[in-house]
Amino acid sequence: MKIYNSISEFTNIKDNLTELTFVPTMGNLHQGHISLINLAKQYENEIISSIFINRLQFNDKNDYEKYPKSLESDIELLEKNGCDHLLIPDESILDDIKLIKAPSKSKKLCGKNRPGHFDGVLTILNRFFKLINPKISIFGKKDYQQFLLVKEFVIKNYSNIKIIGGDTIREDSGLALSSRNNLLSEKEKNIASSIYKVLCDIKSSKNLLNTELLDNKKKYLTKLGFEVDYLTICDASTLEDSFSIDTNDLLVAVAAKLGEVRLIDNILLTKL
Ligand code: PAF
């Protein structure tokens, strides 16, 4: 695996590269990221990943500073799993960066309490897409809203890039893999697995979706010690609240804090 520690190192060789599939990350890699690298292997292109903790997408300075870092093991993991190129830019990637304003659906779900988060995500991705010019870029569907916003942004602005979503990878307990899980104690991890159980319960009540069901599940999570940011059932493409499973695919999405750790997860309900 070739490693580029600056933009200029990468731009110097860029013209010699063949077509690329891009898997952007903020590091602290786990099997969820590796599943995206494995998905990338299904295409003929060489694989490029990036590790950059993008401060523009953190609206909480503490969260940014606390973000787990494990560069050495990240490099090892990517190398072992067949990534061909790794870009690790320094902060100067943000110099004179063109700021992107995400569309209004970025204000729902995770955007409600994290103003500017998706502006920051699209801003850095726009920079990476311009720099790398990939044929394909792959995103995990655990961050479903991010996946959707990136997909729509790319359809509008980059006709040559295809966005592909990778399924969420889970521990045996159902807990969705996340870099933030490293900040949980074993006891908290156990509690955190209830998030997926709640999503599955709602899925099994697909024919009986209503506010009462949501309120009960929220109360249940709160009782377990979560501070629920949102638990929503919404249209899977507009992200508007909806129970209309007869006509639309729906998304059940949740974000909740356990101690200081913010966890998100979701499940899709396909229309009846
Ligand atoms: O999902 C992430 O890890 C980040 O939001 C991304 C896509 C790497 C942009 O910084």
Side-chain angles (χ1 to χ4, degrees):
M1 182 173 74
K2 297 194 191 73
I3 299 179
Y4 314 96
N5 286 297
S6 68
I7 300 289
S8 56
E9 262 182 51
F10 179 71
T11 43
N12 284 343
I13 56 88
K14 182 178 159 186
D15 291 345
N16 306 330
L17 298 181
T18 57
E19 297 190 335
L20 294 169
T21 294
F22 175 42
V23 182
T25 83
M26 296 206 297
N28 202 242
L29 305 182
H30 49 68
Q31 283 311 312
H33 297 103
I34 297 310
S35 73
L36 304 182
I37 298 287
N38 287 333
L39 188 53
K41 286 185 202 155
Q42 295 180 13
Y43 303 88
E44 276 174 8
N45 310 336
E46 290 198 354
I47 303 170
I48 180 163
S49 188
S50 61
I51 296 179
F52 181 67
I53 305 176
N54 169 33
R55 69 179 153 78
L56 300 182
Q57 69 190 73
F58 289 83
N59 54 332
D60 177 343
K61 195 162 171 254
N62 194 28
D63 196 21
Y64 169 63
E65 278 161 7
K66 240 180 30 197
Y67 199 83
K69 298 164 192 76
S70 52
L71 190 56
E72 262 177 49
S73 59
D74 290 349
I75 293 175
E76 222 171 273
L77 203 58
L78 286 170
E79 179 122 53
K80 202 169 87 194
N81 285 280
C83 183
D84 302 296
H85 305 271
L86 172 62
L87 178 56
I88 314 174
D90 56 47
E91 285 288 303
S92 70
I93 192 174
L94 302 179
D95 292 351
D96 299 324
I97 198 163
K98 180 178 173 203
L99 298 173
I100 304 293
K101 193 102 201 93
S104 61
K105 80 175 67 156
S106 68
K107 306 237 169 11
K108 300 187 178 298
L109 309 182
C110 280
K112 231 185 223 163
N113 289 332
R114 303 180 78 194
H117 168 68
F118 289 111
D119 298 343
V121 170
L122 293 183
T123 295
I124 195 70
L125 289 175
N126 186 52
R127 180 82 178 91
F128 275 126
F129 290 154
K130 284 231 154 39
L131 187 69
I132 295 172
N133 191 24
K135 281 279 151 225
I136 296 173
S137 188
I138 301 189
F139 293 81
K141 285 193 278 192
K142 180 171 83 70
D143 296 295
Y144 184 88
Q145 190 177 13
Q146 168 172 282
F147 166 68
L148 192 66
L149 286 162
V150 173
K151 201 174 160 131
E152 291 177 359
F153 176 74
V154 164
I155 287 174
K156 222 165 143 191
N157 297 286
Y158 291 91
S159 54
N160 52 330
I161 304 178
K162 186 171 172 188
I163 299 297
I164 290 176
D167 290 334
T168 303
I169 306 295
R170 301 179 180 283
E171 292 191 358
D172 291 344
S173 67
L175 176 63
L177 296 195
S178 160
S179 302
R180 291 167 194 259
N181 294 355
N182 292 340
L183 303 169
L184 296 170
S185 67
E186 275 314 305
K187 191 173 161 214
E188 284 172 327
K189 265 194 181 175
N190 212 357
I191 299 171
S193 64
S194 310
I195 289 187
Y196 185 56
K197 294 195 184 84
V198 161
L199 294 178
C200 291
D201 281 354
I202 295 177
K203 186 170 184 170
S204 63
S205 309
K206 203 169 151 175
N207 295 317
L208 303 158
L209 303 175
N210 56 46
T211 315
E212 198 187 350
L213 172 71
L214 274 180
D215 286 345
N216 285 340
K217 296 298 178 194
K218 260 185 237 173
K219 273 188 205 137
Y220 171 70
L221 288 173
T222 307
K223 230 185 197 163
L224 289 177
F226 290 96
E227 190 188 316
V228 180
D229 178 1
Y230 62 81
L231 172 63
T232 316
I233 304 177
C234 59
D235 182 290
S237 61
T238 64
L239 305 183
E240 297 285 349
D241 287 347
S242 171
F243 296 134
S244 309
I245 190 71
D246 296 344
T247 51
N248 301 321
D249 289 342
L250 300 181
L251 180 78
V252 189
V254 57
K257 258 173 122 176
L258 193 57
E260 284 305 299
V261 185
R262 188 173 186 279
L263 301 166
I264 61 169
D265 203 350
N266 67 74
I267 200 166
L268 265 177
L269 312 184
T270 39
K271 76 176 170 196
L272 295 175

